[in-house]
Amino acid sequence: MSSVIELCTRARAVKDTVGSLGTPEKNRALNAIADALLAHKEDIKAANALDIAAGRENGLNEGLIDRLTLDDARIEGVADGCRQVASLPDPVGEVTGMKVTPNGLKIGVKRVPMGVIGIIYEARPNVTVDAAALCFKAGSACVLRGGKEAFRSNQCLMTIMRDALESCGIPADVLNLVQDTSRDSATELMRANGLIDVLIPRGGAGLIRSVVMNATVPVIETGTGNCHIYVDSSADFDMALDILYNAKTQRVSVCNAAESLLVHRDIAQKFLPLAKAKLDTKNVRLHGCEETCAILGADILPATEEDYGKEYLDYEMSVKVVGSVDEAIAHINKYNTGHSEAIVTHDYFAAQKFLDRVDAAAVYVNASTRFTDGGEFGFGAEIGISTQKLHARGPMGLKELTTSKYIIYGEGQIR
C-alpha cells in the first residue's frame, strides 16, 4: 500500500469521528492548536529557515521566497486564524429550507461534512494550518500535499497540530501530510477514488491545470489571479493611484495582487505618468500597449498577448489604454482568470455596468483587489479563492467546505 493511499485510508477511518464532534470540542482543539503553534514558534522558524535557504540555493524568486517565509508575525497570524475559525459559527448540522409538502412530508436541507478533503498546494506553509483548521471545523478529515519548497516547515507544523489534537483526545489521523513531494504522490491523490471526497488545488496555473486535467476525484478549482485595475475617465486620481499602488505592490506574490492596469484614453496623458512615478518607487516594470509606450517613453517594454494574460507574481505589470468602459470590460473578460477585478470611477452607470458585466468571483468599485480574502470577508481563514461557478465561488470558508443532504420527516406516508 502506497503512503498516499495509506494516509487516505487512515483519514477515512476517522472521518466519522471528526464528523460527529460537537462545536465545543472542535473549538477547544482549534484553540489548543493555536497555543501549540505559538509555544513552538522557534521550532517553526528553524524549520522554515532551512526551507528558505534551500529555496534561495535552488533559485526561487523573491516573490516565492516571500510566500514561503514564516516570521513571528506570520506565525502569530496563522495561530490567530485558528482562533478566528474557532469563533465562527459551526455550519455542520445547520438545517435550512424546511417545508411541508401537500402529503404532509416535512423536507429540509441539512449541512453535513464532506468526509475526507484532499488539498494540493505549493510554497505557502501557512496553507497547512489554514487548511487543517478549516477542514477540521467543517467536520472533515484532511490529507494535505504541500510542495517540496516548504516541506520542512509543513512537517513541523503538522507534527505540532497532530500532537495538539491528541492532547484533546482526538485521533491525530484527522490531519495528515503526504511526506512524498514528487509528482507521483500528487497523481495518486488526484486518483484516490473512494477515499477522497473532494480535492482542492491551491497554487500556480500549472498546478491547478494539472489537477483539473488529471484528477478522477471531484475537484473544486481555485484560481490564479490576473487581476485588473481599470481607471475610468471620471476617476479621482489620488484614489486611483492609492488603489493601484496597494493592489500591485503591497504583496506581489499573492493571487489577489493586480497584474494589469487599464486606463481610459481621455485621462491617459495625465494619469499614466503619475502612475509610473508611483510604481517606480517599487521598481515595477511596465509592459505597455503602443499608446502607453508613446506616452511614457522608452522605459516601457512593449506588451505582448502573453503579458496581458500573465500572472506575474512579481514587480511587473501590463498596461493598456482603452477607449471606454465597454472596451475595458471586453479586455478583462478576454484575459482575466475570473478572480478579482476593480474599477475606479465616479460615474455610477460605469460602475454598475462594470459590476454587472465583468465575469469574476469578486468585482470592486473604488477599492483594491487585495481584499479578496477569507479573513477580510469575515470568514476567518480561507481554503482558497474559487474561480469556478459550481458549488463555490470566491473566498472559500467553512460553509463551502461542507455539503448538504435532504432530511425528510414523515408519518407513514407511502407513494
Side-chain angles (χ1 to χ4, degrees):
M1 184 180 291
S2 75
S3 59
V4 173
I5 298 304
E6 183 179 355
L7 284 182
C8 294
T9 302
R10 281 160 41 187
R12 197 145 197 92
V14 298
K15 74 177 183 67
D16 292 338
T17 300
V18 64
S20 62
L21 291 175
T23 304
E25 295 170 283
K26 290 190 283 189
N27 291 345
R28 183 166 67 92
L30 287 167
N31 284 310
I33 288 173
D35 291 341
L37 291 170
L38 295 178
H40 291 87
K41 195 185 295 184
E42 296 306 316
D43 295 333
I44 296 168
K45 288 193 295 182
N48 186 243
L50 295 174
D51 285 332
I52 292 170
R56 287 209 162 99
E57 197 174 302
N58 292 323
L60 282 187
N61 67 43
E62 286 305 308
L64 289 175
I65 292 292
D66 176 63
R67 284 190 171 201
L68 181 59
T69 300
L70 289 176
D71 55 18
D72 284 342
R74 289 188 183 174
I75 295 169
E76 289 163 10
V78 294
D80 187 55
C82 290
R83 298 194 199 283
Q84 287 179 28
V85 173
S87 71
L88 292 171
D90 191 343
V92 178
E94 177 188 4
V95 177
T96 60
M98 185 68 75
K99 66 179 182 180
V100 181
T101 64
N103 68 359
L105 288 176
K106 295 178 181 178
I107 302 176
V109 179
K110 184 176 183 178
R111 196 163 290 285
V112 297
M114 288 280 190
V116 179
I117 299 174
I119 302 171
I120 300 178
Y121 54 105
E122 295 177 319
R124 292 185 67 176
N126 63 296
V127 174
T128 301
V129 179
D130 292 349
L134 284 165
C135 291
F136 178 73
K137 181 69 179 267
S140 287
C142 66
V143 179
L144 310 181
R145 192 274 190 188
K148 64 179 183 297
E149 299 86 358
F151 177 69
R152 299 171 187 85
S153 305
N154 291 340
Q155 196 172 41
C156 182
L157 292 166
M158 182 57 74
T159 298
I160 292 167
M161 291 190 292
R162 284 170 61 92
D163 288 347
L165 285 189
E166 287 192 317
S167 74
C168 296
I170 297 168
D173 286 340
V174 167
L175 307 179
N176 303 276
L177 178 70
V178 176
Q179 301 294 310
D180 177 7
T181 58
S182 71
R183 185 171 297 180
D184 289 344
S185 70
T187 301
E188 282 189 274
L189 200 54
M190 294 178 207
R191 297 175 180 173
N193 295 76
L195 296 174
I196 294 290
D197 292 290
V198 66
L199 181 61
I200 304 170
R202 182 170 175 176
L207 168 67
I208 293 165
R209 184 167 53 250
S210 175
V211 172
V212 171
M213 296 297 291
N214 295 301
T216 57
V217 299
V219 173
I220 297 176
E221 182 177 353
T222 63
T224 53
N226 180 22
C227 306
H228 296 71
I229 304 294
Y230 167 54
V231 182
D232 195 31
S233 57
S234 66
D236 178 284
F237 278 20
D238 288 338
M239 178 193 291
L241 290 169
D242 286 344
I243 289 172
L244 170 64
Y245 185 76
N246 175 262
K248 176 67 253 183
T249 71
Q250 189 209 29
R251 195 174 175 195
V252 297
S253 63
V254 291
C255 59
N256 58 19
E259 305 288 16
S260 300
L261 169 64
L262 304 178
V263 179
H264 196 289
R265 185 168 289 116
D266 290 352
I267 60 168
Q269 289 280 354
K270 292 182 178 179
F271 182 78
L272 280 175
L274 297 174
K276 182 179 183 300
K278 187 87 169 178
L279 295 172
D280 277 348
T281 64
K282 291 286 189 176
N283 297 314
V284 177
R285 298 177 67 193
L286 300 180
H287 302 253
C289 66
E290 286 186 17
E291 287 184 66
T292 300
C293 292
I295 293 168
L296 295 180
D299 288 345
I300 307 305
L301 300 167
T304 64
E305 281 288 302
E306 182 184 2
D307 286 316
Y308 290 136
K310 190 170 184 178
E311 183 186 35
Y312 290 103
L313 300 176
D314 206 344
Y315 289 97
E316 292 189 74
M317 191 172 212
S318 68
V319 186
K320 184 174 174 61
V321 175
V322 295
S324 65
V325 64
D326 295 285
E327 187 180 345
I329 291 167
H331 180 91
I332 290 169
N333 285 343
K334 179 177 179 180
Y335 293 104
N336 80 343
T337 53
H339 196 295
S340 301
E341 309 296 345
I343 182 174
V344 186
T345 186
H346 280 315
D347 183 329
Y348 171 82
F349 295 103
Q352 293 307 305
K353 181 181 283 189
F354 194 87
L355 288 173
D356 290 343
R357 289 176 48 195
V358 167
D359 187 6
V363 186
Y364 293 82
V365 175
N366 297 332
S368 170
T369 56
R370 287 285 287 114
F371 288 103
T372 307
D373 174 85
E376 295 292 339
F377 281 19
F379 303 159
E382 69 177 39
I383 208 74
I385 310 295
S386 171
T387 55
Q388 65 175 27
K389 298 180 182 180
L390 298 177
H391 177 70
R393 196 179 194 194
M396 293 172 57
L398 288 172
K399 181 179 176 182
E400 289 74 26
L401 287 178
T402 60
T403 185
S404 60
K405 66 180 177 184
Y406 283 92
I407 55 172
I408 303 97
Y409 294 93
E411 295 177 331
Q413 290 93 331
I414 58 173
R415 183 175 178 180

